[in-house]
Each structure stands twice: as C-alpha cells, then as structure tokens.
C-alpha cells in the first residue's frame, strides 16, 4: 500500500516481487519495469501518469497482472516483448495515449495471450519452435503497416460469444477507443499489412475469428496449410490467399473486401458453405491441384466485378450447387485458355466463356441442366478433344449469349 512517485523508473525489478495495491505514478520513464522475472505478482495497483508506459515486461518475465488500473500514462498502458508470458485478467486502461498492450519481437516456445486488455501489435515473429495461442475474446489491433511472420502454429479458436479479433488500431468497434482519439481517425482497408503463414506453421487454425482492415493480402498461406471455419473477413484488401498450400475454408463470411475475398493459386482446398458478399471480386482460383475438392454450397451476392473466376485448369473443381445473386457476373467466369485435363461442367451451374479450347485427348462433359453463356460475338469454344453434352428433355443444356436472361438468369 505505497504511493511511489517520480524517478527515472518507478520500480526496476530483476527479482520476483509481489507488488500489491500501490499507486505507481509520475515516473519519467516506465512505472514498473520487469526483466527476466519468473512469477511476480502485480495486482490491484494504479499506474498513473508515468512518462512512458505504466508497465514494461521483457525477457522471460511471466507475471500475474491482475485487477490493475492504467491511466494517463504517456505511451501505452503496458508494453511487452513477445517472449514474455504474462497472465492478464481484470485490468482496466483509460486515458493513456494507447489503451492497450504494445507487443513486438519474437515469441518464445508455447505462449498464450489472454483476453483482457487489447494487444497493440507491432512486428511479431512466431519461430518454428514457437506457438502462439489466442484465448477466446482476445483482441489484437495492428499498428499501421505492420506484418507478422508465422513459422510456428498460430492458434486462434474463439467461440460464438467470444470471437478472436484481428483489426486496425483505429477500429473502435472492438475493444473501444484504443488510440484514445475519439473519431479523429477511422479505419480503412489496408491499414495494416499481412500475416504470413509459413511452411512450418501448418498446424495453424482459425475458428470464430474476425479479421478486418488488413492488407494485400491480409492472411497469406505460403507452402503451408490453414483451416478457417465460422469466421468473418471483412473490409480488407485481399482477405485470404493460399499459394501452393492446402486448407479448409468453411462457414466463413467474406464481406466488403476491396480487392478479393478468397484468392488461391496452385493449392488444394476444401471451400464449402461460405458467403461472399459486397467484395470487389469474390473468389479467384487458379491452377488448382488434384487434391482440390469440389467447390460447393457457397453464396455469391453483390460482388461488383465477379463472383467466381477460374482458369481452365481449375474448372474441374467448380461444383454446381453454388448460388449467384446480383454480382457483376452471375456465373462461373472461365478464363481464356486450353482445357488440358478431363473436366465436367456441373448441373445447375452457369458458365461465362470468352475463348476456351478443349485440348487433344481431353474430354469436357457438360451435365444436364447446365448453361454456357458466351461473352461476345468473338467468343468461341474450340474442341480438339471430345465434347460430351448430356442434356435431357426436362434438363436442357443451353449454349447462349451472356445477354440472354431467359435461361440462367441475369448473368451480366
């Protein structure tokens, strides 16, 4: 029960103290500086008007930080380097320059970030022998332009009632006004950079996660794997990109992303039961691998340029049970090129073709109740291999114009 005032550092501790029910105020630097602590206890304190941040954690510090108040500190409520392993609960921060926990550096071994104060993310690396787990309800706000390098698992598994949030420092909707400036700054797509999931981080997984205002791409999976389930990726640039990777994307909403919702090249994914709404471009798939599952049961609505775009190599993996409503192109847009492996155009789907060839030795099967629309008078389908069209009396196959709304709806 002390009042500690003034000094360069309020308390600079290299042992494992118990700091309980004090007022730590008016230091010209940090209120409390913990370096390489095992399990100190920091509880019930008020950190007031210190010259930098209220609390600084570095090295192997693993304190219990509970029921403290951080107010009017010159920088952050708390700063920590990423190898620290604090346990946060019941803390409150207001009227600091930044009402959160600044984090930067390299994660060491298995680390958990609790749901308590907002984490203000600067550059963070998860090495191949590290792992970062975010607790349900944790909020991570990225400083401008910040990227993360993920070479060990990033586990973000929230719940319906306590999703995990990755967003902009300027986003006051989650975690309040962390940059303490009211409405003076507003978040925009591309405010922060990219989380790159590398080859040794293939155990990473996202469930009940909200990702907002990230870059191009926001989440990049490169020669690795990632599962994304029951999540929301909104108002990013290119929200989620898979490059030479595998993964599962299910039950997820891609909303109002300014470049792409989902973008994949050279990958083998399961993409089922997702919603793509109000994006510039919904889903781009190119050079899908043999491991790719049929793309099924997705809803594409009000995407301004196109809903779903594929090259001929990925055409075999586009299922017929996707829904297209009020998009710039209400169809599967097939890129110009040559089909070089056997493919089926699936029943119930509408395809837009500009110029497509079926290569020698290749069979393209058009199932019953399929619509193929040609984009212009110069569009063509050239068959050097085999074209099998399997319509019936009741389930006709149509070859028609993109302007023909009488079959397949208003495609353009």
């Amino acid at each position: 029960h002390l009042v500690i005032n003034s000094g360069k550092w309020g308390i600079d501790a290299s042992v494992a103290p118990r700091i309980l029910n004090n007022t730590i105020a008016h230091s010209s630097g940090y209120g409390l500086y913990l370096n390489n602590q095992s399990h100190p206890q920091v509880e019930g304190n008020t950190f007031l008007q210190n010259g930098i941040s209220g609390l600084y954690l570095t090295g192997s510090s693993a304190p219990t930080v509970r029921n403290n108040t951080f107010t009017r500190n010159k920088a952050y409520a708390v700063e920590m380097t990423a190898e620290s392993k604090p346990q946060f609960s019941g803390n409150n921060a207001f009227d600091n320059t930044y009402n959160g926990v600044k984090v930067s550096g390299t994660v060491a071994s298995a680390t958990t970030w609790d749901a308590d104060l907002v984490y203000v993310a600067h550059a963070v690396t998860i090495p191949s022998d590290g792992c970062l787990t975010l607790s349900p309800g944790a909020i991570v706000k990225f400083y401008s332009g910040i990227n993360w390098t993920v070479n060990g698992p990033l586990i973000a598994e929230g719940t319906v009632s306590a999703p995990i949030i990755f967003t902009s420092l300027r986003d006051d909707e989650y975690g309040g006004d962390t940059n303490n400036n009211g409405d003076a700054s507003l978040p925009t797509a591309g405010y922060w950079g990219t989380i790159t999931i590398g080859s040794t981080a293939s155990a990473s997984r996202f469930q009940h996660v909200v990702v907002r205002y990230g870059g191009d791409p926001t989440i990049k999976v490169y020669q690795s794997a990632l599962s994304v389930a029951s999540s929301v990726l909104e108002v990013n640039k290119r929200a989620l990109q898979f490059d030479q990777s595998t993964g599962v994307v299910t039950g997820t909403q891609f909303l109002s992303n300014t470049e792409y919702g989902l973008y994949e090249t050279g990958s083998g994914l399961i993409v089922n039961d997702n919603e793509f709404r109000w994006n510039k471009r919904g889903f781009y798939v190119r050079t899908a691998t043999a491991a790719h599952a049929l793309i099924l049961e997705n809803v594409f609505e009000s995407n301004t340029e196109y809903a779903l775009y594929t090259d001929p190599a990925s055409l075999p993996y586009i299922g017929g049970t996707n829904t297209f409503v009020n998009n710039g192109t209400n169809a599967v847009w097939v890129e110009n090129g040559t089909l070089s492996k056997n493919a089926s155009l699936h029943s119930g789907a509408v395809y837009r073709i500009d110029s497509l060839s079926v290569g020698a030795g290749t069979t393209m099967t058009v199932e019953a109740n399929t619509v193929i629309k040609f984009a212009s008078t110069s569009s063509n389908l050239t068959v050097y291999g085999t074209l099998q069209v399997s319509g019936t009396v009741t389930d006709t196959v149509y070859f028609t114009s993109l302007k023909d709304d009488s079959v397949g709806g208003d495609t353009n």
Side-chain angles (χ1 to χ4, degrees):
H1 294 277
L2 298 175
V3 176
I4 302 168
N5 284 292
S6 301
K8 182 178 180 182
W9 312 116
I11 303 175
D12 185 352
S14 56
V15 293
R18 297 174 72 241
I19 301 172
L20 310 176
N21 304 312
N22 302 289
T23 297
I24 301 172
H26 304 296
S27 165
S28 62
Y30 300 104
L32 173 60
Y33 187 107
L34 295 178
N35 181 24
N36 292 321
Q37 302 308 300
S38 53
H39 299 288
Q41 184 178 359
V42 182
E43 182 173 351
N45 302 285
T46 297
F47 292 83
L48 171 65
Q49 208 169 347
N50 292 287
I52 305 179
S53 295
L55 172 62
Y56 186 91
L57 310 173
T58 190
S60 59
S61 294
T64 297
V65 182
R66 183 167 55 211
N67 298 335
N68 300 282
T69 296
F70 300 87
T71 184
R72 297 169 63 191
N73 296 288
K74 195 77 171 180
Y76 294 82
V78 180
E79 293 185 44
M80 72 179 196
T81 53
E83 72 271 24
S84 300
K85 302 182 189 304
Q87 296 179 30
F88 290 115
S89 65
N91 298 290
N92 186 28
F94 61 94
D95 285 340
N96 305 280
T97 300
Y98 296 102
N99 293 314
V101 181
K102 176 186 175 182
V103 189
S104 61
T106 301
V107 170
S109 65
T111 299
T112 298
W113 290 1
D114 299 313
D116 188 54
L117 297 176
V118 169
Y119 297 92
V120 179
H122 288 243
V124 169
T125 297
I126 305 173
S128 58
D129 60 351
C131 175
L132 177 60
T133 300
L134 302 180
S135 298
I139 299 173
V140 180
K141 294 189 178 183
F142 287 80
Y143 204 83
S144 176
I146 290 298
N147 302 306
W148 277 15
T149 301
V150 179
N151 293 320
L154 173 59
I155 310 298
E157 293 182 311
T159 66
V160 172
S161 60
I164 291 166
I165 312 298
F166 295 98
T167 189
S168 162
L169 177 61
R170 295 178 174 179
D171 185 357
D172 297 346
E173 184 173 344
Y174 292 97
D177 186 9
T178 306
N179 61 350
N180 202 40
N181 69 348
D183 295 331
S185 60
L186 298 175
T188 55
Y191 176 81
W192 58 278
T194 302
I195 298 172
T196 301
I197 310 293
S199 61
T200 52
S202 59
S204 299
R205 54 192 183 270
F206 289 4
Q207 184 171 19
H208 295 296
V209 171
V210 176
V211 182
R212 314 176 90 192
Y213 304 116
D216 188 4
T218 301
I219 300 171
K220 179 180 180 180
V221 187
Y222 180 67
Q223 296 183 350
S224 191
L226 178 68
S227 64
V228 180
S230 304
S231 295
V232 178
L233 289 80
E234 60 182 352
V235 204
N236 304 286
K237 286 194 170 181
R238 187 182 318 222
L240 176 57
Q241 176 175 323
F242 287 84
D243 185 357
Q244 304 169 64
S245 295
T246 59
V248 179
V249 182
T250 58
T252 291
Q253 295 178 302
F254 296 86
L255 309 176
S256 301
N257 297 290
T258 63
E259 293 297 331
Y260 298 87
L262 176 58
Y263 185 102
E264 61 156 302
T265 58
S267 296
L269 306 183
I270 296 171
V271 182
N272 294 339
D273 194 30
N274 303 287
E275 298 178 17
F276 297 82
R277 303 182 194 272
W278 315 301
N279 306 286
K280 184 176 183 179
R281 308 173 186 94
F283 181 12
Y284 177 98
V285 53
R286 186 176 181 84
T287 59
T289 69
H292 211 295
L294 278 179
I295 297 166
L296 299 168
E297 303 293 338
N298 300 286
V299 175
F300 297 88
E301 181 178 359
S302 298
N303 299 285
T304 54
E305 283 195 8
Y306 58 74
L308 173 56
Y309 187 99
T310 180
D311 69 334
S314 306
L315 190 55
Y317 306 105
I318 310 298
T321 59
N322 302 291
T323 300
F324 301 87
V325 179
N326 198 35
N327 300 281
T329 298
N330 280 318
V332 178
W333 188 333
V334 183
E335 182 180 78
N336 294 349
T338 299
L339 185 65
S340 58
K341 60 183 175 182
N342 295 342
S344 293
L345 305 192
H346 293 285
S347 177
V350 179
Y351 297 85
R352 169 186 167 148
I353 290 177
D354 292 278
S355 181
L356 179 66
S357 297
V358 180
T362 301
T363 297
M364 186 171 82
T365 300
V366 184
E367 297 179 354
N369 190 34
T370 299
V371 178
I372 298 173
K373 294 190 176 184
F374 293 90
S376 70
T377 56
S378 61
S379 298
N380 57 75
L381 173 61
T382 305
V383 180
Y384 299 102
T386 302
L387 175 64
Q388 294 182 346
V389 181
S390 304
T392 69
V393 172
T394 55
D395 290 312
T396 305
V397 172
Y398 291 92
F399 293 84
T400 187
S401 165
L402 185 65
K403 298 178 180 180
D404 182 359
D405 297 346
S406 67
V407 291
D410 185 4
T411 307
N412 61 347

